[in-house]
Amino acid sequence: MISFARQCGIHDGEREAACQRVARLIESTGMQRVRMGWCDAHGQLRGKTLMPQAAVRALRDGVGMVGTMMLKDTGDRTAWKVFEPGGTDGLDGFAGASNLLLLPDPDSFTLLPWSEGTAWLRCQPWFQDGTPVAIDSRRVLQQALTRLAVTGHGFKTGLEVEFHIYRITDEAPQLDPDRAGWPGLPPTVEMIHPGYNLQAEAMSDMADKPLRIVMDTALALGLPLQSLEIELGPSQVEAVFDATDALTAADQMVLFRNGVRQALRRHGYLATFMCRPPFPHIMSSGWHLHQSLVESDTGRNAFVRATAAEGAGPHEARHSLSDVGSHWLAGLLAHAQGMASLCTPTVNGYGRFRPNALAPQHIIWGHDNRGAMLRVVGGPGDPATRIENRIGEPAANPYLYMAAQLHAGLDGLLRGLEPPAATDSPYAAGHERLPDNLGDALVRLQADAALVDGFGETVIRHFCRIKQSEVDRYTDAKDKGDFERREYFSRY
């Protein structure tokens, strides 16, 4: 009988060899269980835990999952009426909470350093007839990269992620059955270091234990951690990773967030990638996405120019960027409003867009200016020349965040768009503003024809409906702070 993986058209001799290799590893390492994880629309890992023999079978035949898992908002409510006639119109294959199948990638087999006897496999969902699920966010990025490849380029990116770590002092509020909610309460916490101290070595030593857990976990997972440091805000830290291709970087971000949260929790700490934790004196966390294009045939950085363009002053893009880089920069600016909800997808994240907070407020670029939305780093002859997009929050789905860059930048490249001059005053009046709330950002996304065409109407409709459910519940909430605390603090 033909395997499900072969029915899907992804199983060949190379994959079969990989499956056999994983089966031997499971047996030789004495694995007791294998987690089958997939990334939902919010960038969170979900999945099933299988016993060894079941995991080996799932490599070829998949494992079932309820389709509504892909239709949840941030509060785990299904945003479609799947049991009503017409309730899933425009979203074929999800009526009646029907089954999907998860197929693992055997090359993703990873031992989880914080959970003895446990391995992990990255999965993607498929319909039971062997067709791919269009709204799978990892597939969305894969398709965007395929579109980019036609131009002869690949996408290279480096992760620079801020987040907060707290010491748990009381888990009772979260575990008290009389106080269970949807979602539930987070635990009571205290800080691991006081603020405000940017990269203060004394504070790094004070927070050494949780930082060491983060470091050990990231390295044990094989992630290319470059640095781990004290960020400006109280109990805030930052992790920086070596640059790599986009799909690998997105996979690494999902694994990093999930891994450090679980490893720290086992030692009595809570890591949160919520942009603005629910305390009065905090510094917002951002996810700064460094990006460049590489030439597919040579591997050369396509944003580098040998010398500044003739007559181009330091405030002009072609002084620092190649023609390709200048067009890409213009595309990111042209679609900034449309991509905002994909880069900052929570109600909470929009509180970050404020003046003089090392966060963007306007749709502008600057040369090595951390107040601008887009920061151009490098210059003529510098092989590390790149664009840093500072719009994102660390809770973003990495596949959608990166796909947004691709579709926006590609539009600029294909249409030959030209960027305006750089700014030295990123918070001055007169610049076009970024959306200041998630609801407006969703409207902008749906009105952006190039992004809708790039992602596909089904993907945009799915994303906007899930996020609109979040917006509506936030609007109806009597206590906005309690909503954000329950929705994001210990869950993201």
Side-chain angles (χ1 to χ4, degrees), residues 261-338:
R261 289 178 64 230
Q262 292 187 32
L264 283 167
R265 188 64 184 253
R266 284 175 174 247
H267 291 272
Y269 297 93
L270 184 146
T272 182
F273 292 83
M274 177 184 187
C275 179
R276 296 179 56 78
F279 306 112
H281 307 294
I282 54 94
M283 189 75 180
S284 300
S285 290
W287 174 5
H288 308 144
L289 196 65
H290 295 255
Q291 57 192 278
S292 61
L293 296 186
V294 294
E295 296 174 352
S296 300
D297 54 351
T298 66
R300 177 184 172 274
N301 184 345
F303 282 5
V304 178
R305 66 180 317 126
T307 59
E310 184 176 355
H315 285 77
E316 295 177 66
R318 280 183 173 78
H319 181 273
S320 304
L321 293 169
S322 67
D323 292 354
V324 168
S326 298
H327 295 322
W328 193 269
L329 177 72
L332 296 178
L333 292 169
H335 299 287
Q337 290 191 340

Side-chain angles (χ1 to χ4, degrees), residues 291 293 303 316-318 321-339 363-366 373-376 387 389 404-422 432 448 450-451:
Q291 57 192 278
L293 296 186
F303 282 5
E316 295 177 66
R318 280 183 173 78
L321 293 169
S322 67
D323 292 354
V324 168
S326 298
H327 295 322
W328 193 269
L329 177 72
L332 296 178
L333 292 169
H335 299 287
Q337 290 191 340
M339 75 162 73
I363 302 172
I364 51 177
W365 75 276
M373 182 190 114
L374 300 176
R375 171 180 170 238
V376 173
I387 298 170
N389 193 340
Q405 314 304 296
L406 287 160
H407 291 305
L410 259 175
D411 186 59
L413 181 61
L414 296 176
R415 291 202 289 141
L417 299 182
E418 298 294 340
E432 185 180 13
D448 191 313
L451 292 184

Side-chain angles (χ1 to χ4, degrees), residues 41 45 84 103 172 217 229 298 305 361-362 376 400 464 476:
L45 273 179
E84 295 184 10
L103 264 180
T217 301
E229 51 203 44
T298 66
R305 66 180 317 126
Q361 189 177 34
H362 299 113
V376 173
L400 299 181
C464 288
D476 293 340

Side-chain angles (χ1 to χ4, degrees), residues 159 222-224 242 244 247-257:
L159 305 180
L223 304 180
D242 293 337
T244 184
L247 190 61
T248 298
D251 290 340
Q252 289 172 347
M253 180 61 170
V254 172
L255 198 53
F256 175 72
R257 282 193 309 211

